[in-house]
Amino acid sequence: MEKIEFEFTKDGPIIVKKDGKVEYALCRCGHSTKKPFCSGAHHTVGFQADENKMELK
């Protein structure tokens, strides 16, 4: 069974990992030009958020 993890980075995107390998970086600032994926816009808009992790079993 594969292991899926969500890493909510400090002031940045949600990193989705499958079996420890990065699959996607998802936008959570709302300003990405590549939604739902991160385009790096969080750097220019001053997005702030805490970090956290979640694992699906």
Side-chain angles (χ1 to χ4, degrees):
M1 187 167 162
E2 58 192 30
K3 179 180 175 184
I4 305 294
E5 297 174 274
F6 297 92
E7 182 181 338
F8 296 77
T9 61
K10 173 108 175 101
D11 302 333
I14 301 168
I15 304 298
V16 181
K17 296 180 181 178
K18 182 167 67 171
D19 294 328
K21 182 180 173 187
V22 175
E23 294 288 320
Y24 307 104
L26 300 174
C27 174
R28 65 178 183 148
C29 75
H31 295 277
S32 176
T33 58
K34 299 180 179 182
K35 290 179 189 170
F37 304 105
C38 177
S39 68
H42 58 276
H43 293 291
T44 59
V45 298
F47 178 71
Q48 294 182 331
D50 292 332
E51 61 186 340
N52 203 345
K53 289 187 180 183
M54 180 173 52
E55 181 180 322
L56 298 179
K57 296 182 180 185

